Amino acid sequence: MRERMKQRRYAMVCSSNQNRSMEAHSLLKRQGFDVSSYGTGAHVKLPGPSLREPNVYDFGTPYKHMLDDLRRKDLELYKRNGILPMLKRNSSVKTAPQRWQDNAADGSFDVVFTFEEKVFDMVIEDLNTREHVLMKSVLIINLEVKDNHEEAAVGARLALELCQEIEATESWEDSIDDILTAFEKQHRRKLLYSVSFY
Amino acid sequence: MAGAPRDQALSLLAAANNHGDLAVKLSSLKQAKDILFSLDPSSAVDLFPYLVELQSSPETLVRKLLLDLVEEIGLKAMEHSSVLMPVLLTLLRDDDSAVAKQSIVSGSIIFCCVLEEMTLQFHRHGKVERWLEELWSWMAKFKDAVFAIALEPGSAATKLLALKFLETYVLLFTSDKSETEAPVAEGSRRAFNISWLVGGHPVLDPYSLMSEANRTLRILLNLLQSASSLPSSLTITVVNCLASIGRKRPLHYGTILSALLDFDPNFEMVKGCHASSILYSVRSALLGFLRCTNPTIMESRDRLVRALRTMNAGDAADQVIRQVDKAIKNAERALRDGRLGKDDQLSSQVPVTGDPLKKRSVPLDNEDSINKHEMASKRLRYGSETNSTLPVQINDNGRDGSSANGLSPDLPLLDGELNPVEKMIAVIGALVAEGERGAESLEILISKIHPDLLADIVITNMKHLPKTPPPLTRFGNVPVPRQISSLNASVTSSLVSDLPTANNLPTDSKRDPRRDPRRLDPRRVAVPAGLASTPTLEDSDAMHSEFNGSISLSKPSSLLVGTTVENKSAPLISREEEMESLSVSGIGQMTPTEEVLEEPEEIAPAKQAKTSDPTDSPAHTNDDSVTTEFPDIPVKDEADRSSFPEFYEHSPVLPNASASEDTCHDLPPLPVYVDLTQDQQQSLRRLAIKRIIDSYKHLYAADCSQLRLALLAGLVAQIDADDEVVVMLQKHVVVDYQEQKATALLGSFPASDKSFSKLLGEVPILPDSALKLLGNLCYADVIDQHGKDIRDVERITQGLGAVWSLILGRPRYRQACLDIALKCAVHLQDEIRAKAIRLVANKLYQLSYISENIEQFATQMLLSAVDNHTSDLEHVQSVSTEQIAEGVVGSQETSVSDSQISDSGNSETDSTRNRPVAQSTSTVSLLEAQRLISLFFALCTKKPDLLRLVFNIYGRAPKTVKQAFHRHIPILIRALGSSCTELLNIVSDPPEGSENLLVLDVSILIPMLPSLSKNEVLPIFPRLVALPLEKFQMALAHILQGSAHTGPALTPAEVLVAIHGIVPEKDGLALKKIMDACSACFEQRTVFTQQVLAKALTRMVDQTPLPLLFMRTVIQSIDAFPSLVDFVMEILSKLVSKQLPPPQLESALNKHANLRSPLASFASQPNLRSSLPRSTLAVLGLANEMHMQQPHRSSSFNSSDAGSSVHGATLT
């Protein structure tokens, strides 16, 4: 096998860069992938005492800060609903949630995973609005994952599996159809992908 | 001397070529590169051939690095680089796709640079040098090679980039009209465009390049056609490239759109392709088009939306459209505002395509829309990539600002963004500042705010109250209670509140001339409007652009909030009445709760409130001046800066501070103290007392009652308490006592308790106050002593229940109770109204002794909505409850501001109270119309006869009322059921003017269609065709589906015949609609099969006159089913024998030339030929042989028909 130039860069994107993308980020990082994660929302939203009272933070607010904040607000509640453990995990992965739309400085990615169709749309649209000066192709894959802890864990494993398969190929451009079709068949999950450029 | 490094480079290059270790090779090459660049280019050029040798290095990484090197030399030493170009060409064909890819990338970059250099060189020196020409010829070879890669089989990875190059190529050589100016400045960062070559160029021929671009586009389009033979990744890329071209070059948009819409790959044929992703890419492309504001693209919106609907992306499409529309509106406004201030050199530089577009007023909880909107606004800058420099500045300003002013650190604002509450405040402020334009959005926004969030908003705003209460000496030495200063006012608020004296006033006044203080204040008359208003032009825009955050980082929140506060306070003051405001402007600062509670009210379209009195503006000025005096303004200059980043951003040329100072200096100084005569002071105090007492009625908040009492005491003491005031106070005390007693009495029963109703039913006499209490219970809000709204649904139920039982059991109070019920049935608040309507329609309407009254009232309300004299009628009707209504209005006011349960209540409350007559001249709002007509529609379900009236008056109803009708009709129809005879009668014989209602709402019949017979469907068929396409498609489905008993109402063939049977003039339908309907049928190939088409055509060909669209359909049929050719031949033969109008025949034959000769031979049969007119034979090319044609040919076919058919024969 020919030497690969270098490891591919992966991005995991959900809307708040808390649960789904961070679960996957955490897992892929542990597996040695070059991975980053982002959210496409306008804010970082975490469940609050009720559906209509989410805790809203800005991207860039450290997970640690949120952790302290929610601990102060209602230790029991947020422990129970898994938010505190999640924030703790997140803070061990990176400092703060990052916004996809503001990530131009982070360089280009080879593969972007989104976990929701809306997020997929936003990533595509955002890439469309950037100037494609590098002419570097990027694969964007959407894997629909419900925004709860259990599904996020499942989703992260699936994402890892896909990433491993992609990583194993010389060029995803030629094999992506086969990889995704096989994956869909095996896991009974629908996938979407698109191709954009940096 | 240059020998040493040169030799060194040589040996390094040799090592890169021959060394055994890859790492050494790479590092040698890198070192060689450094040396090459340190050398004089002309001496380095000798080494290039050695570089070229490296292209055959067995190491992928070496070849890739070589390409990097070539690219860098190509850019830095272009003059000498042509010797390296063969490397590009060779490596394009590299076995390793990574190398080939790199070659495409490097080559593309060089390609663009060479192109730019060619243009610039000619522009600068009037000629193109030899080396550059040579380089260009290499580029032409490169281009050809890349094109070949795109088309030939090979690695998808490489082809992907080749496709991207194709896209770039089309973009470069397709004129972008928005960039027509030649490349003026050197070092211009703009990418090359063919439009640079307008003046001609010795080497580059714009025309051949443009046609090259067209050819390239065709290549991409062809690739799309052959999608089934490509891997999905390529097809998706083709779609994306086409979409990108379509968005950026409107010239090609039409072609690309058609191609994408027609794109229908046969996925079954392709093994292992990811069909859903391909289809999704088309969806994304269409949505991307929808986001474009280019006029060409905007025109096709309908098509896009229709297509997206069929892809189940209708919602996404609608959302995008809403966002874009809003963005456009804002852009236009910004443009307009920009023009207003164009005297000023600053504003002339405002890039209108930039920031202002990012305005938004959507509710915060809709995060996604924010993002999409943000994209929309990004997209809005189509063709203006140059704007990309702007955001940086904005960021900088923002950061400066945030560091400059002391943000409270406990807010989660680590990156300087706003928290939701502050954003919401900013949004509200901006909407208020927009004046009436913002009113509607504001209504919606406020109705959607969660009470808790609203409370947060109020509380957040409180911190903008000044830390120190205004010096009260002016109003007397009233002691100021301590709690005010505990309000934790932030420094910024006081800062901001003084700035606007210079700036925000003009802003507001621009938005609403009535509130222009300059108009009233003689000192300001001389100030040129342009000067004063410029800095704040984008004031609210600034706020908006803020959270759109497409520019990512934001400005300090305090600034925004500050601005908001100002925006709000202006209307506040102007709303005050007469001299009151003068005194209250001071008090307002002191009594935080009052202001707080009133805020939402001002937020609601305060503009609808009455025009301000002349005294307003001095009052305002006064107010401002008070704030100006605050001693604790820390760093004014910095506050300036942070408050107007927009200003700086738009005027990068001018030094910031001086600019803002100029603006301030242009305004005359404001009076610090207003001299009042003794009388004025007296009346001022009296008004103040009155106002405090009035406000007391609505407020139960304990924390300000103390303050109020203190104020009252002070004022009364100053006034020498004359009788009038004492009486007023007495009255207030008594009324207050009674009210509190009654409320307490009611409050002691639980809402579910029947004893209240029982008590009312049994007491011998019901005094007015009891009825008033009952009325209050039904439609007033109950406020507990903490000022919280505790009205619960059960209370209303309780009250209405009592009303019902009184109507049943106490004939004497029947009318009064009915009044209450009816009053509730047109109540502003949906909740109350719905309950009352249920009571009235379901229970009371059944009572024969009042049903007529009810019907009358409902009819009057309906008519009042239609004829637009709302309030008069209401006043007439509810005289007996007028008093109660006043009470309602009063208490509602507070509750609304407090709880925000009501949707739109505020403005309407205001209007009903303040301008009963004025309203009759204004148009009824949709909500108002809903309010007035709901009862009637509810009655309709009980008595379908009434429906006739709705249809009778529909024609004359204003637009909003019609809209309200449209909302009600479907509900009503559903309630009535499809078999309702009254409804069917109306459908079959619509009253004059109501056709539109039926046309619009014939869609309500759609669910009934399956059960209708052919004879029932045919009369309404034209109306079905007139429906929006997707509705027609739905109707079509229903017609074809039929019911289990009767079978389909029409067969597909009959549907086609029916569509063709529609005559535009007669049925009042645009031809386009009919054509769309035809197309809709053709789209359903499984239903409208070849056989169906044949059958329909056969039937139609016998009609006289021929249906207008007959020939079009014939042609479409062949397009859809080429195998129909034989059949069509037959039809045409039939037509020819029926004497088809020659022009139609000719155009048909021109389009399908293969029909000509068989038809000609058919027509030349002797028996036929003699019967054909000469013109027909001429078309068939048989005329020459017909020397002895009969002269009466012109009368032999129906010339008028021919005329119209030709006219309508859209053989496209």
Side-chain angles (χ1 to χ4, degrees), chain B residues 376-440:
Chain B
S377 49
K378 271 190 188 175
R379 163 77 53 243
L380 267 168
R381 285 177 274 153
Y382 73 94
S384 58
E385 293 102 317
T386 34
N387 279 358
S388 52
T389 45
L390 262 173
V392 185
Q393 265 180 313
I394 294 168
N395 282 344
D396 291 344
N397 280 321
R399 289 217 176 102
D400 285 347
S402 72
S403 60
N405 70 31
L407 255 185
S408 58
D410 50 332
L411 291 168
L413 290 172
L414 294 178
D415 59 355
E417 278 190 25
L418 295 178
N419 73 25
V421 171
E422 287 166 319
K423 289 185 182 178
M424 187 56 91
I425 291 170
V427 171
I428 292 171
L431 285 174
V432 170
E434 275 179 26
E436 310 212 356
R437 278 184 306 224
E440 205 175 318

Side-chain angles (χ1 to χ4, degrees), chain A residues 123-142:
Chain A
V123 168
I124 292 175
E125 179 59 23
D126 176 68
L127 287 171
N128 273 344
T129 58
R130 302 189 190 187
E131 275 187 77
H132 301 166
V133 277
L134 297 181
M135 278 186 85
K136 187 170 177 303
S137 59
V138 49
L139 169 67
I140 308 128
I141 300 178
N142 183 57

